[in-house]
Amino acid sequence: MRRRRLLSVLALSTLPLAGCGADRSSTATVTPDLDDPVLFVVTNEQAASATVRLSLALDDGQTVLDESVSLDAGASRAFDPGITTPGQYELRATIEDGLSRTITLDIDADDIRAGSNREIILRDNGVQVTWA
């Protein structure tokens, strides 16, 4: 009798954990927080103004951002590509003088829900991509 009671208590105690091991790599559409979307912020840390072309594409080839912007030294500009699908994205930032950087970013459902931003920093010797 005690054994049955113990087994039933143990079985019930694991119910709240159901679903905790869910697959985070899902490519289902996620609803982002409208007040905190995933942004890509371009910052010009060069001594002179710069023009940069920014493109972002999902691994299936769908382009979600394709913009050019001219920034004065020390200026920044944020872009909201409207990301709602987790996956691998290819980010390419090309400065008008030829410096460029291409990087693959893994953006998961938690990044979309939390509005995790990336910063693209233009420097005299290259382009850096970091978490903002």
Side-chain angles (χ1 to χ4, degrees), residues 4-57:
R4 285 186 190 163
R5 185 177 297 168
L6 176 62
L7 291 175
S8 67
V9 168
L10 288 175
L12 292 174
S13 68
T14 60
L15 285 178
L17 299 176
C20 286
D23 182 13
R24 293 178 155 216
S25 63
S26 172
T27 57
T29 300
V30 177
T31 303
D33 180 349
L34 296 178
D35 295 328
D36 194 12
V38 176
L39 297 177
F40 287 79
V41 181
V42 181
T43 301
N44 183 11
E45 290 188 356
Q46 298 181 96
S49 64
T51 299
V52 64
R53 180 173 194 90
L54 194 65
S55 66
L56 182 69

Side-chain angles (χ1 to χ4, degrees), residues 57 59 87-92 101-107:
D59 59 358
Q88 284 192 332
Y89 288 79
E90 182 177 276
L91 172 68
R92 176 177 282 260
R101 175 83 188 265
T102 301
I103 187 170
T104 300
L105 303 170
D106 289 318
I107 298 178

Side-chain angles (χ1 to χ4, degrees), residues 57-81:
L58 192 53
D59 59 358
D60 67 1
Q62 176 189 0
T63 300
V64 295
L65 179 67
D66 189 16
E67 297 281 340
S68 288
V69 63
S70 293
L71 297 170
D72 291 333
S76 293
R77 171 129 182 238
F79 294 93
D80 177 1

